[in-house]
Amino acid sequence: MSTGPNRILDEFAKLMTDAAGAAQGVRREVETAFRGQAERILNSMDIVQREEFEAVREMALKARAENEKLSARIAELEEKLGLGGSGEAEKASPRARTKKT
């Protein structure tokens, strides 16, 4: 058994170790409470989660690429109809057929 100054230092070291453990516990409690409150605030603000944002972004990029392809195809078809003469354009257009009759 320790006696004298060594015992006091041992008790002080034990006290400091316990205090450090308690401080870590308090820190974890504060972090948990803060995260919970922050999450509640963000949910009430209707902020989109990152995963949802990325999914919608990918859909928008795919839609934009498809739109560009379709625009190019329409331009190509319009060019073909324009080069073929007005007779072919009238054959291709249902409205043109109804005007003739």
Side-chain angles (χ1 to χ4, degrees), residues 10-80:
D10 287 343
E11 290 295 322
F12 183 71
K14 183 179 176 184
L15 178 66
M16 294 307 289
T17 302
D18 291 344
Q24 286 179 349
V26 169
R27 181 177 146 250
R28 282 192 296 268
E29 288 288 326
V30 169
E31 283 179 353
T32 302
F34 179 78
R35 287 180 191 212
Q37 185 66 25
E39 190 173 315
R40 281 191 291 278
I41 290 170
L42 291 175
N43 286 338
S44 70
M45 295 174 69
D46 291 331
I47 295 179
V48 176
Q49 292 183 356
R50 182 74 174 179
E51 293 83 20
E52 293 175 10
F53 174 79
E54 291 296 330
V56 171
R57 182 175 178 269
E58 285 297 318
M59 288 172 43
L61 290 174
K62 287 179 183 177
R64 180 177 290 166
E66 184 67 24
N67 189 16
E68 289 173 359
K69 277 199 269 183
L70 292 173
S71 293
R73 186 172 178 203
I74 288 171
E76 181 183 323
L77 291 172
E78 286 175 344
E79 185 179 318
K80 283 181 181 179

